[in-house]
Amino acid sequence: MNVSEFAIHIPDDELADLGRRLASTRWPRAWPEPPWEAGSDVATVRRLRDAWASFDWRACEAGLNALPQHIATIDGQCVHFLHFRGGDALPVLLTNGWPSTFAEMVPIAQLLAAARHDIVVPSLPGFTFSEPAADAPPAIATHELWHRLMTELGYASYVAHGGDLGAGITSRLAATHPEAVAGIHLMAVAGAADHSDLTAAERDYLDAIAAWERAEGAYEHQQQTRPLTLAYGLSDSPVGLLAWIVEKYRAWSDCGGDLATRWSDEDILLHASLYWLTNSIGTSFRPYFDYLAHPLSPIERVAVPTAVAVFPHDLALPPREYAERTYEVVRYTRFDRGGHFAPHEEPDLLADDIRQFIAQI
């Protein structure tokens, strides 16, 4: 594995192209429905489009370049990652989900580094500055890339955290490499192999997932089945990309329907810019498609110590007994605020829960 320092520099002509596309947006005709009822609210998207037109990307770029960014080449595949040096406590690997980026993990990475943990934050393959896998199925599964990265960085033992896609990767990492993974901290859990003798709470949980899939799962079905068809439009229209992800920031966060209570315009536009300027929104769908088209073997059992953190406005709220069907749960925490984007929404709560979990193992 080769590792080199990395700095972002988006060419001026790409920023100018973004400005032209924003200025020439063709808006959809109005629908006679209340805001957000049929999708992203046009007034909100128009406001964000206007803010994006004057967004200071160079200031954001400078802020990101102040972070310890690196590129690792692992068997020919380039992986972008942040590497915070904290001290002699157990190192921690942090993996984000979708539609997040590595930037969402920075607040908890800095909090954990201040508590003397070395922190590694890789960008998922096909997300922002990490190359997508060249083969289908990928020659190296993401959890194996992560293990190779941590091992080559000199970490014989480490803790891993993840939510959303990151929870699945983290679970598979622990199941495959229990000799190295000292514990995992999750915001979501894998489906259990055994559904016999379900408790009432477990049945409610599974019913809630089914109801969510019916009401909110269209994006997931599209990204799993025909992602490339979607990618043409979102890779050509910055406002189309913005509308696709901002709906999720509103629906999946603890904002009560008001984006501004959890997200500044600058927060939203940072992530939208990272996807747009790296042309990675289409490749960010690969994990969804691969899940069905190139499935890995089911996770039967994860034997390492596991913590589960449940935020009330996340997509699913697994009860402890359901998590225990698959994991060795040693810590289970239900919070009274926060949602799917807890690293952004509640970094102090999340970082403290990770610290307390590490102290237990």
Side-chain angles (χ1 to χ4, degrees):
M1 182 179 80
N2 296 318
V3 177
S4 58
E5 293 185 355
F6 177 76
I8 304 166
H9 182 74
I10 303 299
D12 288 339
D13 61 349
E14 293 188 22
L15 296 177
D17 177 69
L18 170 60
R20 286 192 294 270
R21 290 171 185 264
L22 290 169
S24 62
T25 300
R26 184 186 187 193
W27 296 95
R29 294 175 67 177
W31 280 43
E33 296 290 343
W36 298 104
E37 189 67 25
S40 290
D41 169 48
V42 66
T44 300
V45 177
R46 280 184 178 275
R47 177 179 57 74
L48 288 168
R49 189 282 305 262
D50 294 345
W52 206 355
S54 59
F55 183 62
D56 189 350
W57 167 255
R58 291 299 182 206
C60 285
E61 189 177 72
L64 293 172
N65 283 337
L67 302 172
Q69 295 187 84
H70 304 271
I71 291 285
T73 304
I74 303 172
D75 287 350
Q77 185 165 344
C78 292
V79 176
H80 167 262
F81 68 100
L82 308 179
H83 193 189
F84 296 85
R85 300 284 188 172
D88 55 4
L90 266 173
V92 183
L93 172 69
L94 303 174
T95 306
N96 61 269
W98 186 91
S100 302
T101 70
F102 71 93
E104 183 185 278
M105 311 305 284
V106 169
I108 63 169
Q110 292 174 328
L111 289 167
L112 291 170
R116 302 190 57 79
H117 297 277
D118 281 7
I119 308 297
V120 177
V121 184
S123 293
L124 292 163
F127 282 56
T128 64
F129 303 102
S130 282
E131 290 183 352
D135 304 310
I140 310 175
T142 302
H143 67 279
E144 292 293 353
L145 279 175
W146 280 194
H147 181 64
R148 286 278 301 278
L149 176 63
M150 295 300 284
T151 300
E152 296 290 341
L153 290 174
Y155 300 125
S157 180
Y158 55 91
V159 170
H161 159 83
D164 192 67
L165 294 175
I169 294 164
T170 299
S171 298
R172 196 168 293 279
L173 175 63
T176 308
H177 292 287
E179 78 288 350
V181 180
I184 58 173
H185 186 279
L186 304 174
M187 291 170 51
V189 301
D194 177 16
H195 276 192
S196 63
D197 300 320
L198 293 169
T199 67
E202 289 177 301
R203 288 193 296 271
D204 289 346
Y205 165 67
L206 295 173
D207 288 346
I209 291 176
W212 183 88
E213 290 283 356
R214 290 191 297 272
E216 298 285 343
Y219 85 97
E220 181 182 46
H221 187 65
Q222 179 73 18
Q223 291 176 189
Q224 286 180 334
T225 58
R226 296 294 184 268
L228 189 55
T229 303
L230 177 63
Y232 289 108
L234 302 193
S235 300
D236 189 59
S237 167
V239 168
L241 184 158
L242 178 63
W244 191 253
I245 63 176
V246 77
E247 177 198 326
K248 307 311 177 192
Y249 294 152
R250 175 183 178 272
W252 298 351
S253 64
D254 184 7
C255 73
D258 182 358
L259 272 168
T261 64
R262 288 293 187 171
W263 303 91
S264 68
D265 288 356
E266 290 74 18
D267 294 328
I268 295 168
L269 295 175
L270 170 60
H271 293 292
S273 296
L274 282 168
Y275 279 114
W276 178 262
L277 295 171
T278 59
N279 193 17
S280 62
I281 190 63
T283 51
S284 78
F285 303 154
R286 280 282 300 273
Y288 290 87
F289 185 77
D290 287 345
Y291 179 78
L292 291 186
H294 310 293
L296 299 173
S297 58
I299 297 172
E300 298 288 343
R301 185 70 188 169
V302 178
V304 307
T306 301
V308 179
V310 179
F311 290 86
H313 293 272
D314 207 342
L315 311 188
L317 312 180
R320 179 171 187 147
E321 60 265 36
Y322 189 81
E324 288 173 340
R325 290 174 179 265
T326 304
Y327 303 88
E328 292 293 328
V329 179
V330 300
R331 181 179 179 84
Y332 179 89
T333 311
R334 292 187 76 103
F335 294 97
D336 61 1
R337 62 184 188 274
H340 188 66
F341 305 98
H344 167 82
E345 299 176 68
E346 298 291 347
D348 292 301
L349 287 182
L350 183 57
D352 186 60
D353 200 61
I354 294 172
R355 283 195 299 262
Q356 292 190 49
F357 166 60
I358 293 173
Q360 288 181 239
I361 59 178

